Amino acid sequence: MTEQLNLTDVMTEVQNFITSDGQIIPAQRDFYRVLREKMTNHTGLFTESEVELILVDSRSEVLELSDEDYTAIFDLIMDRFGLSKRLEEEARLREELVMKERLRKEAELKARAEAIAKEKAEAEARAKAEAELRAQIEEQERLVEEARKRAEEEEQARRQAEEDARIAEEERLRAEEIAKIEEEARLKAEENARIKAEEEARLKAEEVARIKAEEERIRLEEEARIKAEAEEIRLKEEAELKSINEAHQKMVEDAIRISEEERLKEESRINAEIEAAKRFAEIEKAAKEKEAERLAAEEARIAAEEAAKKLAEENAKLAEEARIAEEEAAKKLAEEAENTKIIPDLPPDNN
């Protein structure tokens, strides 16, 4: 590899040399200026031969620079190429050393990683075995616990079944007792209802018989009254008819004595009187019949009202008696139910 420098390295070395005494000689300043211009205008790489030519060219333009200063500057710059080579070699050696160290560390890391992986695998295998063993132990403990709980639940279910059976038996006995009381109450109620029905039937029959007797009495009285009125009307009509016949007979007798014209007039008058008497008799008869009907209806209404009133009073009395009987029966049933004692059994022994 051809060794080369850069512009900054070359000019830095020259600047350090000419300022090392604390003052700058004019010839050195001129040489530095010419060298910088040539270095700046140079194209290509700053190889050792190229830099040497640039130094010689600059020296030819600044003759005031002493040979001692030029030689010192020349040697200084040329030494940079040797230094660069040494630095490059040192860098290469350092890189090789770093590479070897890196490879060594990588090998150590790999070995350590393999050891760690091995330890990890062994730890995982050990942890897996421990986990499997722990799972087996936990499964056995779970099965034992389930068996214990199942036994407790079965025992509790057995005790609960016994308790339910005992309660069911008590409820059955209580239900039988209640059913017995209810049956007695039902029979008592049926007996009371039968007695009440018989009494109501008897009272109703008596009332019907009384009403029929009353109706029969009213009917007979009404028939007697109507018969008497009819007889009275008949006698009156017979008397009126007799009077009419007598008048007619008188008319006949008088007709013999009077003239035909007078006879006709008299006959017409008599006929008019007869018709008037008949109409009066019919009107009077109709009025009497209407009055008789009104009186009969009024009497029937009064009798019906009295019978209904009496029947309502009897029904109210019977209802009150039935209510009192039902209250007494209910009170008796309540007392019997209250006096019925149900003695519970002792609770089951849970031990």
Side-chain angles (χ1 to χ4, degrees), residues 125-313:
R126 186 167 53 255
K128 183 178 180 181
E130 291 176 355
E132 291 177 353
L133 179 60
R134 186 165 54 254
Q136 292 177 359
I137 295 172
E138 291 176 354
E139 180 66 16
Q140 291 178 355
E141 291 177 351
R142 185 184 64 80
L143 293 175
V144 171
E145 181 65 18
E146 288 181 355
R148 184 186 64 78
K149 288 183 178 179
R150 188 162 51 250
E152 290 180 354
E153 290 175 355
E154 291 175 355
E155 178 64 19
Q156 186 176 0
R158 184 186 63 78
R159 292 177 180 176
Q160 185 64 36
E162 292 177 354
E163 179 67 14
D164 293 341
R166 184 186 64 78
I167 294 173
E169 181 64 18
E170 290 179 357
E171 291 179 352
R172 185 185 65 79
L173 295 174
R174 189 180 298 111
E176 289 179 354
E177 184 67 22
I178 293 172
K180 182 179 178 182
I181 294 172
E182 290 178 349
E183 181 64 17
E184 292 176 355
R186 185 185 64 78
L187 294 175
K188 184 67 175 177
E190 289 179 354
E191 180 66 17
N192 293 335
R194 185 185 62 78
I195 295 171
K196 180 181 177 182
E198 291 177 354
E199 182 66 18
E200 289 178 352
R202 184 184 64 79
L203 294 174
K204 186 175 181 180
E206 291 179 355
E207 182 64 20
V208 170
R210 186 190 65 77
I211 292 172
K212 286 183 177 180
E214 183 67 19
E215 290 176 350
E216 183 65 17
R217 182 186 64 78
I218 293 171
R219 186 183 65 78
L220 293 175
E221 290 179 355
E222 184 65 17
E223 287 180 355
R225 185 183 62 78
I226 293 171
K227 186 176 180 181
E229 290 179 354
E231 182 65 19
E232 182 181 354
I233 292 170
R234 186 185 65 79
L235 294 174
K236 189 173 182 180
E237 287 178 350
E238 288 179 354
E240 290 177 353
L241 183 58
K242 183 179 180 181
S243 176
I244 292 170
N245 290 332
E246 289 177 352
H248 185 268
Q249 183 64 31
K250 184 176 181 295
M251 180 192 69
V252 172
E253 291 175 354
D254 291 341
I256 297 172
R257 293 192 305 268
I258 62 178
S259 63
E260 185 65 21
E261 184 179 355
E262 291 177 351
R263 184 184 64 80
L264 293 174
K265 289 181 179 179
E266 186 65 19
E267 185 177 356
S268 177
R269 183 185 64 77
I270 292 171
N271 288 333
E273 290 178 356
I274 292 171
E275 289 296 327
K278 286 182 178 180
R279 285 197 301 272
F280 178 77
E282 290 176 356
I283 292 171
E284 188 176 3
K285 181 181 179 181
K288 288 181 179 180
E289 289 177 354
K290 187 175 181 180
E291 180 65 18
E293 291 177 357
R294 186 187 67 78
L295 292 174
E298 182 67 19
E299 290 176 357
R301 183 185 64 79
I302 293 171
E305 289 179 354
E306 291 178 354
K309 182 178 180 183
K310 189 170 183 180
L311 181 60
E313 291 175 354

Side-chain angles (χ1 to χ4, degrees), residues 16-33:
N16 290 335
F17 174 77
I18 64 178
T19 58
S20 59
D21 294 338
Q23 60 180 355
I24 300 175
I25 299 172
Q28 293 177 348
R29 183 186 298 276
D30 293 339
F31 181 79
Y32 179 81
R33 178 180 55 78

Side-chain angles (χ1 to χ4, degrees), residues 113-127:
E114 291 176 353
I116 292 172
K118 184 178 179 181
E119 292 178 357
K120 184 177 180 182
E122 292 176 353
E124 289 178 353
R126 186 167 53 255

